[in-house]
Amino acid sequence: MTIIVIGKSGQLAQELKRLDDSLLCLGRDDIDITSAESVNSILSNNNVTGIINASAYTAVDKAESEEQQAFEINATGVENLAKFANQSGVLLVHVSTDYVFCGDKGSPYQIDDKHEPIGVYGASKAEGERALLQYAPKHSCIIRTSWVYSQFGNNFVKTMLRLMDEKTELGIIDDQIGSPTSAGALAKACFYAVHHNVNGVHHFTDSGVCSWFDFALAIQEFGVKYGLLDKTIPAKPIPTSAYPTLAKRPNYSVLDKSSLKLAFGGLEPKHWRIELSEVIQQLASIK
């Protein structure tokens, strides 16, 4: 089987490569997903049996001023991949986001809840989902996720560890609620989907719910425990209004994961504290 991963340097792509070194990961220098010609030419020459789209425009704030670029990658690019998947009869596993929802529901989002994005990034990802379901409904699997972190790249965990080492105190937002997701665990879900031909829309995150403040406290706890931090520093909860950003964030974006038990062979995500502990141990081992 030739399973192609669209994306090479991102967190998910690197975790997928750790799972199976035989995966063919294609970066921007290898394929331009915004060009149908590039997609058809490159993928047709590689005897593809499955595709995992681990690429995306993810700069949430920057997307507000780079709308065209965000839509080209997150919508047009997905449409091109979807058309190829449908024509060639291979499964396309596509990773989407909690940002397709507004965050005002107050209870976990179901897989069939209506899109209500509140920013350009979320709107571009929602358009990508629509394109995939329109052009490859029988050859696609959408996995929505949230708050992704790992030992690779830039993410909240690594940023917090750096700031906790540099600062004497921190203020962390405590009124945005969601579920962290280890990129390593997400990679396993994508891997299962492409190997077992899972179809439809599903949600995958670590289990459990927390605020960014809760998450940060746990990062500090494990950072000290595993030697990445020398000491703890005071951290105080602050409201979103105290930390304005260009793009609005969902206040409550917990994703209901009940479909995993049936579609993913009874897959049970680990609690976010367990996954976080494992990632921080990985970081400590390469310090």
Side-chain angles (χ1 to χ4, degrees), residues 128-191:
E129 287 190 14
R130 283 192 286 270
L132 188 50
L133 293 174
Q134 177 182 348
Y135 293 106
K138 296 181 180 179
H139 299 286
S140 61
C141 176
I142 294 171
I143 300 179
R144 295 193 190 113
T145 192
S146 62
W147 299 19
V148 178
Y149 67 94
S150 71
Q151 64 176 301
F152 303 109
N154 298 315
N155 55 68
F156 184 77
V157 171
K158 294 174 74 173
T159 297
M160 284 296 103
L161 288 169
R162 176 177 57 80
L163 292 176
M164 288 168 176
D165 186 50
E166 297 173 353
K167 304 289 186 180
T168 56
E169 65 176 13
L170 284 176
I172 312 294
I173 290 172
D174 74 336
D175 57 357
Q176 291 178 23
I177 309 299
S179 298
T181 308
S182 161
L186 177 61
K188 292 175 183 176
C190 293
F191 210 55

Side-chain angles (χ1 to χ4, degrees), residues 112-133:
D112 56 355
D113 279 341
K114 184 177 71 172
H115 290 155
E116 289 184 297
I118 52 177
V120 170
Y121 167 67
S124 67
K125 293 293 286 185
E127 188 62 30
E129 287 190 14
R130 283 192 286 270
L132 188 50
L133 293 174

Side-chain angles (χ1 to χ4, degrees), residues 3 13 65 77 147 164 177 185 192 202 209 225 232 238 266 280 282:
I3 296 173
S65 60
W147 299 19
M164 288 168 176
I177 309 299
Y192 184 95
H202 305 279
V209 176
K225 179 177 181 179
T232 61
I238 62 172
I280 291 184
Q282 290 169 0

Side-chain angles (χ1 to χ4, degrees), residues 236-262:
K236 64 177 182 179
I238 62 172
T240 297
S241 59
Y243 189 76
T245 55
L246 290 174
K248 288 184 66 178
R249 268 69 171 167
N251 290 326
Y252 183 95
S253 61
V254 178
L255 301 173
D256 181 273
K257 297 181 285 292
S258 56
S259 71
L260 294 177
K261 293 181 180 180
L262 181 62

